Structures are given as structure tokens and as C-alpha cells.
Amino acid sequence: MTAPQGRAQAFQVCARCSTRWAVGARPGTWCPRCHGVLLSPVSTRAPAQGRRNFRWVARPAEGNPRAARAPRTASPTPTPHYDTMPTWGLRDTPRDTMAERRVGRIERYGASAQLLVLVTALLLGLAAIAEVFRYAILLYNRTRLVSPITLAASDALVYFAQVGALVVGLFALISSSCWLIEQRRHAFAAVGSSDPRSVRRMLLLSMLPVVRIVMPGVYLTEVVRLRGECEADVDRELALVRLWWGVWATSNVLVIVQLLWNLQGTLQARADGVLLSAFVAAVAAASAVLTLAVMRRFEGRTLRGSTLALPTRWVIATGTERRPADHEPGAVSAS
């Protein structure tokens, strides 16, 4: 059977074998030769191959068909982009949210408190040694002459230690106050509340010449009572805070006494003032060391920086008796 190739005005082309079939009374659906799909009728002038005279139209399964052809009125979204250059690799590490968070001024200044307190303690200790060395020179100078080089070295050591301790101690006082405020924030956050005291007021009261004798101890005592997990820990930390408080108050009082003592102009008063300066520097150095001990105690460390061992309580087990089991050798079963 051959396909008619007559003078038909219209024909259908098989999508599989490309054979032309004349259109009769009704268009056909399947090719009589290969059972392929017949395309829609076309004119005799259309080519037999290389082009199909239909197109696919996708419409939604439900709803109004015209809704799919409705124009979009939404504004265009921005083009996706990276904030930073992507650095993909075989071992990508997750983002550290703690490292990316913003650090406030109080936390940033309080982070260097321990280092500044340690440097202050060293300078105060050096100042005490320098004052003792100067007093020894005064005793030696009662009967003998002192070399100008020795006297200049003594003066340089005293001035360096005192001025350095004064400057670094001021920064240590500010950073220690910031550290105390940060510790109070953590302590109150642990119990689900916020610090009722104002930050500016605490900073001001912690650095005023006379008020700073009392208020830092009050702030530390409140932190200890909030942080205490048991009565034993509260008692130990309170004892350390009270010891520091006493030395801190003594150091501030001695500074006032030294200022008043220096108002005297006699030679003996000046000589005694050297010993007094050495004693004041030694007490101030002890106060700085205790301050460092309190800071590290709150962080769970010792004064040297090692991890603080938790207290262990040993209890004697009473009222228990080990009975031999049936499978153990020497066990006798009751009959």
C-alpha cells in the first residue's frame, strides 16, 4: 500500500515516518503504515520534513486557565550575591557566632584587667624595694659619702617605679571596675535577671578617692552571694573577698596618711617618710595580688592560673552488709 501523493489540497504528515497522507472527510489520528501520530493538516506547499506545525501549551490543572497567562505585577527581587568571597573547601569549619558578635567597651576593657593588675603589683613591689634601698643609702650617708652615680640610680629607680605604678594602677583600676561590672552581668543573667545598679554609677563609685574604699567590696559581696552554689563555696569566697577588702581599705588609708606625713618639712620626718613609702608600696602590692587572686577565683582558677580543684567530701558508708551469693564459693543455701 502506497500513500497517495495526488493533488490533495491538504495532507497530514506522520511524526514517525514522515509519510504524507491526504486528508479525507475527517483528519486522521494514527499513521496507517507505522501507527505513528499524524500531525495536524497542512497545505501542500508545506515541506514534508524538518518542521512541526504545532506547539505545546502548559496550563494549570486546576483553577482558571487564564490565571496562568496573567502578567506578573510583583516587583523584581534583587540578584542573589555573597557578602564575602566564598572560600569553599574539603574541610569547611562552621561559623563561630561567638567570635563574630560585637564586644562592648565594658567587656573589652575588663579583658585586660588581670594583666594590668599583675603589672601594677610588680611595679609596686619594685617601688617598695627602691624605697628600702633609698633608706639604706640614707643610713650609709650618715658616716660616709655616697657616690653620685649610686644616688642617681636610686632616684631613677624610685621615680620609675612610683610613676609607673601610678599610671598603670589607674588603668588597672578602670579595667578592674569594668571586669567587676561584667561579672555582675553574668551572675545576674545566670539567675534570670539583670543588674539593678547603673553601670555609670558603679564606675563612678568604684574610682572616687574615698567612696572606692567601700563600694567595690559591696559589689563583690553581691556577686559572691549570687554565684554561690552551696554554703561552703559562699563562705570561702566571702572570706577571700573580706580579706581583700580589708587590705584594700588599709592601702587607701595609708595613702592618705602618707600624703599628710609629707607635709612635714624636718629631715627626720623625711627620712621616716621613706620607710613609710616603702610600707605603703608593700601593702598596695599585697592588695594588687589579692585583687588578682579574687579575679582568678571567680573564674575557677588559682592565683598561679591553674584550674581550681573542686572540694570532695568523703562519706563512710554505714548500715550495709555484703552477703555471699549462691554462686560464690563457700556460700551455703538454707534447707
Side-chain angles (χ1 to χ4, degrees):
M1 178 179 178
T2 59
Q5 303 289 341
R7 302 175 181 176
Q9 296 297 325
F11 61 90
Q12 291 178 269
V13 180
C14 177
R16 180 181 295 178
C17 62
S18 301
T19 304
R20 295 184 179 186
W21 297 94
V23 180
R26 295 179 56 186
T29 304
W30 306 103
C31 178
R33 172 180 294 178
C34 64
H35 299 284
V37 179
L38 293 178
L39 303 181
S40 59
V42 296
S43 174
T44 54
R45 297 180 180 180
Q49 299 178 359
R51 178 173 159 183
R52 298 181 180 180
N53 58 341
F54 67 91
R55 62 189 181 91
W56 293 98
V57 178
R59 295 181 179 178
E62 298 179 359
N64 188 4
R66 298 180 180 179
R69 297 191 298 269
R72 296 182 179 180
T73 58
S75 59
T77 58
T79 305
H81 65 283
Y82 291 99
D83 295 333
T84 58
M85 180 67 67
T87 55
W88 299 310
L90 297 178
R91 297 183 62 183
D92 289 338
T93 56
R95 295 174 58 186
D96 188 2
T97 57
M98 295 299 296
E100 295 179 358
R101 68 182 182 89
R102 296 184 59 183
V103 180
R105 292 183 179 179
I106 299 297
E107 186 177 357
R108 185 169 62 252
Y109 295 159
S112 58
Q114 297 187 20
L115 178 60
L116 291 176
V117 170
L118 179 60
V119 175
T120 303
L122 294 176
L123 289 175
L124 288 172
L126 181 62
I129 296 174
E131 293 292 347
V132 172
F133 181 63
R134 170 179 281 188
Y135 189 78
I137 292 177
L138 292 177
L139 293 179
Y140 182 83
N141 194 30
R142 294 175 61 183
T143 57
R144 302 175 187 177
L145 295 178
V146 180
S147 173
I149 298 178
T150 304
L151 186 59
S154 175
D155 293 339
L157 184 61
V158 169
Y159 293 148
F160 169 77
Q162 288 184 351
V163 174
L166 182 62
V167 174
V168 179
L170 178 60
F171 286 104
L173 179 61
I174 298 174
S175 60
S176 300
S177 302
C178 295
W179 176 90
L180 178 57
I181 294 174
E182 190 66 22
Q183 290 297 319
R184 290 178 60 89
R185 285 180 180 176
H186 294 325
F188 278 97
V191 296
S193 62
S194 58
D195 193 350
R197 298 183 181 272
S198 173
V199 174
R200 295 182 179 179
R201 185 178 180 85
M202 285 190 293
L203 283 175
L204 181 62
L205 296 181
S206 298
M207 290 183 291
L208 287 178
V210 179
V211 184
R212 68 183 183 187
I213 301 177
V214 179
M215 297 311 298
V218 175
Y219 300 151
L220 280 174
T221 304
E222 293 177 352
V223 175
V224 170
R225 296 191 182 280
L226 285 174
R227 294 179 66 254
E229 298 178 357
C230 59
E231 293 298 330
D233 293 337
V234 171
D235 293 339
R236 291 190 185 95
E237 293 187 356
L238 277 179
L240 180 59
V241 169
R242 288 167 181 170
L243 177 61
W244 166 85
W245 200 351
V247 178
W248 168 254
T250 304
S251 176
N252 284 268
V253 171
L254 286 176
V255 170
I256 300 175
V257 172
Q258 182 182 7
L259 293 176
L260 296 177
W261 186 272
N262 290 335
L263 297 178
Q264 302 181 20
T266 61
L267 294 178
Q268 186 61 39
R270 292 182 180 180
D272 295 338
V274 174
L275 280 182
L276 181 59
S277 299
F279 182 70
V280 171
V283 174
S287 176
V289 171
L290 285 175
T291 303
L292 184 62
V294 170
M295 290 180 174
R296 293 185 174 178
R297 174 76 182 193
F298 280 19
E299 296 178 356
R301 296 186 297 165
T302 61
L303 180 59
R304 296 182 178 180
S306 59
T307 304
L308 185 65
L310 297 177
T312 304
R313 177 179 296 177
W314 296 93
V315 181
I316 301 176
T318 59
T320 59
E321 182 179 357
R322 185 175 181 273
R323 297 180 179 180
D326 295 341
H327 62 276
E328 293 183 356
V332 180
S333 60
S335 57

